[in-house]
Amino acid sequence: MAATNETRRKVFLGLLGSAAGMALGGGAGARAMVDQATRVFRLDGGGVTYAFGINAGGQVQSLYWGAALAASDSLPAAVPVEANSSNEMAPGLTPYEFAGFGGGLTTEPALKVRFPDGVRDLDLRYAGHQDKGDSLVLQLQDAKRAVRVALTYAMDEATGILARSAVVENRTGNWIQVDQMAAACLNLPYSDDYRLYFLSGRWAGEFMLQTRAITPGAFVLESRKGVTSHQINPWIAVSRAATGEESGPVWFGALGWSGNWRINVEMDAMGGVHATAGYNPFDFSYRLKQGESLASPVFHAGFSNEGFGGASRVFHRYQREKVLPHAPRPRLRPVLYNSWEATFFDVNEAGQVALAEKAASIGVERFVVDDGWFGARDSDKAGLGDWVVNLKKFPNGLGPLIKRVNGLGMQFGLWVEPEMVNPDSDLYRAHPDWVINFPGRQRSEARNQLVLNLARKDVCEHLLKVLDALLSSHNIEYLKWDHNRAWSEPGWPEVAPDDQQRLYVAYVDNLYKLLAELRRRHPKLEIESCASGGGRVDLGIMRLTEQVWTSDNTDPYDRLVIQDGYSHAYAPAAMMAWVTDSPNFVNKRVTSLEYRFLSAMQGGLGIGANLNHWQDEDFAKARRLVEAYKQVRATIQLGNLYRLVSPGNGSPRSATLSVSHDRKQAVLFAFLHSSMMRSAQKSIQLRGLDASAVYSLRAISGSAAAGTVAKASGAYWMGHGLKVALEGDFQAAAFVLEAVS
Ligand code: DGJ
């Protein structure tokens, strides 16, 4: 009898499958349940349970986030945390799902609004919920005024990744001003040994993994630069002290937003840990008229009990199956050639044809002309904004070059930086008012350029027109879409002063719309997100761009460190790297062609060297390595990545293993960066293989230590491991393991 009652009061809400606002592909969704007696909501999927409840005051509180609980487990109803003295109040201690600024809230609010009468108090309470089939939507409303908030929860069944977002709607009959808005607040179970991980960097040094203990107080990660930024990437992970690469709990999340963002990680007065992620409140203000609403970006959050490796593998899978264009089957990255480091701005038809012929001879599949092909673009001082072919460099337009490139069996791609303008350009001379600016104030230039105001309809219409015309009149199958400066003087003088700060949201929304519309009109088109390297890598732009340019630093050793950091958050399926000249233009380091190739082969492979300087043996080596790469790229790009030895913190060695989903193929890359500690001959224990299958070993480059067996079980390769014969500094080797029985 008891069991029947239990069953009756738990209502199955449905199957959730996709994230809010995202065009996502297939698969059944996660389970959503609500216990009507306790008012506890629970989402289950991918080995993860996420639960929250409505407390007696109507506030929505987190209850659990972590490894899957048994289906039969019931969570107790939500109760606000009690303060131990009058110096604290329950709202400053209670783990809210989406805290309104008001009452005694002293922790980070998810939403802060002001009303015309000066009131800045918001008491958000549960007002209902809806099962939308692919998501659960929770309705909240202020206790006194018609400020409504809809919280969307979409959990992916395969990975347990929860996509959370919010929409605030003004039904008060007057305007309200949103001063701060998050996508979500995520609360962690109580623990006193948490560590925070995040990715920081700068130009040519992106994605450096950082860590610090989470202690009382707040730690703010943010971009104030108008773009995602090199400085900090909008991804975090939180582990327990003992968590390692392959064991222990990791909670993680990334904000899908390419403008100003903030993630606030704080420990409250009683030790509760909260992460609030959303629009950056820095200079933020968004006025909503009666009936208007504002949507937040999406925060994608997950959990793994299998350490940082498990966390990144599950997040990579989610990106491949739910986020990237053409998910759940993102396209393989073609091998590309890019002319930037070979020619810089000195591009012309004859020079590009010469490079294209050489690129085709080594198996390149996509030839890309970088900066310098348009307007008066002989340097970074002029021409940006004038997206017309420079007839001095290409007297017959791009047509003959594209024809030659296609004739050589390659796709043609082009560099653009549509959001920017040089003051020395026809576009700026015609429309000086199209840039972000404050009237009568200086217009600070960086790289001699200003930022076009994409919040303006006319600017977007113009960009759509010129880019559409470019793509319609040429067989261009790929755009490298660049963004080379941080914002300054973020004014939008054409709208009322109270609406000017809408810029931060409207710009990015319109950028996404522009990219989506170009893709709709040109379905073959693929796009790379680049911002002076890795300055715009986030899950917002990655819904619309097949690949990202991780860094302008193409030195193969530095790149390994950058790629290692990147891989903690983002999928190899989207990561590009090029083989460039030695010494490298950034740090003058000299490395072998082999080492450069093996470093660049760990995601999408590109070549950016000046092929005019290559010798016959370089072409022969490149041809062989490109061919070998094509045999294994599906495993590298779409398989499971194991960081066997990370290159960070001055490690003399590093190694990665990519394993295909069916575990029939695995690709090992091993590097010796420094022979100083004579540590080359350690065995590398592989991971993720089928222990009972037999795998043959074949070298792509380099060799295994003398005596290495040619065939052994997965158990052997994982237990005994493999010794790689590497000697000297900056040496590399790569192997393929194929299941033979
Ligand atoms: C910055 C990019 O990151 C480079 O690869 C190159 O495209 C230049 N811009 C061109 O100006």
Side-chain angles (χ1 to χ4, degrees):
M1 198 59 201
T4 315
N5 284 341
E6 184 72 8
T7 316
R8 230 179 257 143
R9 61 191 171 84
K10 281 187 184 170
V11 177
F12 178 62
L13 282 170
L15 298 171
L16 313 178
S18 62
M22 293 172 53
L24 302 174
R31 278 159 47 93
M33 305 279 295
V34 58
D35 185 324
Q36 289 173 323
T38 54
R39 302 215 290 179
V40 170
F41 291 76
R42 176 173 162 171
L43 303 168
D44 284 278
V48 177
T49 298
Y50 186 94
F52 55 87
I54 320 296
N55 67 26
Q59 285 101 13
V60 190
Q61 260 181 252
S62 308
L63 291 175
Y64 179 79
W65 181 26
L69 303 177
S72 55
D73 289 336
S74 290
L75 286 144
V79 179
V81 175
E82 268 179 43
N84 68 348
S85 85
S86 58
N87 297 297
E88 306 297 339
M89 295 175 77
L93 304 170
T94 301
Y96 293 128
E97 287 282 295
F98 199 81
F101 173 85
L105 188 84
T106 44
T107 46
E108 186 73 1
L111 184 65
K112 183 169 187 290
V113 302
R114 64 178 62 225
F115 297 94
D117 60 1
V119 168
R120 303 186 315 283
D121 186 68
L122 193 64
D123 181 357
L124 294 175
R125 299 190 183 179
Y126 172 76
H129 65 266
Q130 290 152 298
D131 172 10
K132 296 264 187 181
D134 62 354
S135 57
L136 168 65
V137 176
L138 212 64
Q139 308 289 349
L140 311 182
Q141 177 153 334
D142 177 59
K144 303 269 170 121
R145 301 182 184 194
V147 174
R148 297 180 188 160
V149 176
L151 302 183
T152 295
Y153 295 77
M155 183 184 265
D156 173 41
E157 191 208 16
T159 58
I161 306 274
L162 181 63
R164 281 197 54 188
S165 58
V167 176
V168 56
E169 189 189 351
N170 174 19
R171 291 276 161 201
T172 61
N174 205 335
W175 59 263
I176 64 169
Q177 189 161 302
V178 179
D179 288 332
Q180 184 163 351
M181 186 180 184
C185 178
L186 276 301
N187 301 290
L188 297 179
Y190 279 97
S191 167
D192 56 7
D193 67 347
Y194 281 131
R195 293 199 69 81
L196 174 68
Y197 287 77
F198 59 99
L199 297 165
S200 77
R202 58 188 66 91
W203 178 79
E206 298 88 335
F207 300 107
M208 298 294 125
L209 190 64
Q210 310 286 345
T211 182
R212 74 194 296 274
I214 297 181
T215 53
F219 189 65
V220 172
L221 301 162
E222 64 177 349
S223 167
R224 299 180 172 195
K225 297 185 171 173
V227 68
T228 321
S229 108
H230 301 72
Q231 196 178 336
I232 314 270
N233 187 274
W235 167 87
I236 55 165
V238 176
S239 74
R240 302 286 305 277
T243 296
E245 178 63 17
E246 295 296 341
S247 65
V250 179
W251 294 259
F252 58 92
L255 191 70
W257 187 243
S258 312
N260 281 0
W261 58 271
R262 188 165 93 170
I263 303 178
N264 186 85
V265 181
E266 68 188 315
M267 182 184 277
D268 68 31
M270 301 294 276
V273 174
H274 321 279
T276 309
Y279 293 129
N280 195 336
F282 167 77
D283 196 38
F284 188 87
S285 169
Y286 201 104
R287 188 169 282 221
L288 293 176
K289 296 195 200 79
Q290 155 63 18
E292 286 186 334
S293 57
L294 171 64
S296 77
V298 180
F299 190 62
H300 309 259
F303 171 80
S304 171
N305 240 339
E306 289 165 25
F308 297 101
S312 56
R313 283 189 291 278
V314 87
F315 210 22
H316 295 172
R317 177 173 178 189
Y318 174 74
Q319 289 163 33
R320 288 191 305 267
E321 295 181 359
K322 299 290 172 185
V323 177
L324 288 168
H326 308 291
R329 277 172 289 283
R331 296 179 183 156
L332 285 178
R333 299 299 80 230
V335 177
L336 71 68
Y337 179 83
N338 180 294
S339 61
W340 176 243
E341 286 191 34
T343 59
F344 291 103
F345 294 98
D346 190 14
V347 294
N348 58 54
E349 188 179 319
Q352 295 295 304
V353 166
L355 287 169
E357 285 168 350
K358 295 185 172 84
S361 80
I362 55 173
V364 165
E365 297 158 310
R366 172 179 284 168
F367 183 83
V368 185
V369 176
D370 209 280
D371 202 346
W373 60 269
F374 54 91
R377 188 75 169 168
D378 293 325
S379 71
D380 61 18
K381 293 195 170 50
L384 264 188
D386 300 338
W387 301 109
V388 285
V389 182
N390 181 317
L391 293 178
K392 276 197 221 121
K393 299 178 181 182
F394 298 91
N396 303 304
L398 291 174
L401 172 63
I402 296 176
K403 203 163 160 223
R404 182 72 186 123
V405 166
N406 292 162
L408 288 163
M410 298 183 292
Q411 296 177 359
F412 182 79
L414 203 56
W415 178 94
V416 288
E417 193 180 4
E419 300 153 76
M420 301 288 163
V421 65
N422 285 124
D424 185 359
S425 65
D426 293 341
L427 183 74
Y428 188 74
R429 282 183 279 275
H431 300 286
D433 53 329
W434 277 12
V435 299
I436 292 170
N437 76 94
F438 290 122
R441 310 292 301 179
Q442 71 167 338
R443 298 179 176 196
S444 303
E445 292 176 24
R447 209 192 191 209
N448 311 299
Q449 62 196 56
L450 297 168
V451 184
L452 288 174
N453 184 351
L454 263 67
R456 286 175 61 130
K457 199 162 166 273
D458 48 4
V459 171
C460 286
E461 283 169 355
H462 167 79
L463 291 179
L464 179 61
K465 197 169 117 209
V466 293
L467 293 170
D468 184 41
L470 189 66
L471 295 169
S472 301
S473 53
H474 299 93
N475 187 24
I476 297 170
E477 296 178 70
Y478 163 90
L479 289 178
K480 174 177 173 183
W481 188 294
D482 211 339
H483 176 292
N484 279 301
R485 62 157 293 182
W487 292 13
S488 60
E489 298 95 22
W492 181 5
E494 293 73 27
V495 300
D498 285 334
D499 289 331
Q500 287 203 13
Q501 285 148 290
R502 279 180 174 232
L503 173 72
Y504 292 114
V505 176
Y507 180 111
V508 181
D509 279 347
N510 284 348
L511 169 68
Y512 291 161
K513 283 185 197 146
L514 178 60
L515 288 165
E517 181 58 16
L518 287 170
R519 297 184 66 97
R520 193 190 66 74
R521 293 188 189 186
H522 303 278
K524 272 197 321 193
L525 181 68
E526 294 196 350
I527 304 177
E528 176 174 88
S529 174
C530 168
S532 298
R536 188 154 63 191
V537 178
D538 63 78
L539 295 190
I541 202 91
M542 285 167 81
R543 288 183 302 124
L544 296 156
T545 58
E546 278 77 5
Q547 60 189 57
V548 296
W549 182 229
T550 325
S551 179
D552 276 354
N553 187 340
T554 53
D555 169 75
Y557 168 67
D558 287 358
R559 195 68 171 217
L560 288 175
V561 182
I562 291 167
Q563 291 175 172
D564 180 77
Y566 166 99
S567 76
H568 280 78
Y570 301 110
M575 181 184 82
M576 293 305 295
W578 304 340
V579 175
T580 56
D581 290 328
S582 173
N584 186 270
F585 89 107
V586 170
N587 59 12
K588 313 292 178 240
R589 184 180 282 127
V590 174
T591 51
S592 70
L593 189 58
E594 206 103 0
Y595 184 88
R596 280 175 271 152
F597 256 100
L598 298 198
S599 169
M601 276 161 64
Q602 308 211 4
L605 172 65
I607 321 280
N610 190 340
L611 301 179
N612 298 321
H613 299 161
W614 277 19
Q615 305 302 314
D616 287 351
E617 63 260 31
D618 298 325
F619 284 104
K621 193 172 280 180
R623 206 170 294 125
R624 189 178 64 69
L625 288 170
V626 167
E627 185 47 38
Y629 171 75
K630 288 178 183 169
Q631 305 301 319
V632 294
R633 74 171 139 189
T635 297
I636 292 170
Q637 294 179 23
L638 308 178
N640 281 316
L641 175 71
Y642 294 83
R643 289 179 294 263
L644 301 178
V645 186
S646 274
N649 302 320
S651 165
R653 307 185 304 144
S654 66
T656 60
L657 184 77
S658 305
V659 182
S660 64
H661 286 284
D662 60 8
R663 296 191 292 173
K664 293 221 155 45
Q665 188 181 67
V667 186
L668 172 69
F669 290 98
F671 298 87
L672 177 64
H673 316 301
S674 166
S675 52
M676 187 180 137
M677 304 308 284
R678 297 281 176 264
S679 62
Q681 296 296 331
K682 283 188 189 158
S683 273
I684 302 172
Q685 274 94 30
L686 310 191
R687 287 190 162 270
L689 302 178
D690 177 352
S692 57
V694 172
Y695 292 86
S696 65
L697 179 76
R698 169 168 64 82
I700 293 178
S701 178
S703 51
T708 301
V709 296
K711 246 193 239 173
S713 67
Y716 177 92
W717 297 120
M718 293 191 287
H720 173 275
L722 164 69
K723 271 188 190 168
V724 182
L726 290 173
E727 261 182 49
D729 293 354
F730 302 116
Q731 300 299 312
F735 303 86
V736 190
L737 291 106
E738 309 269 7
V740 288
S741 65

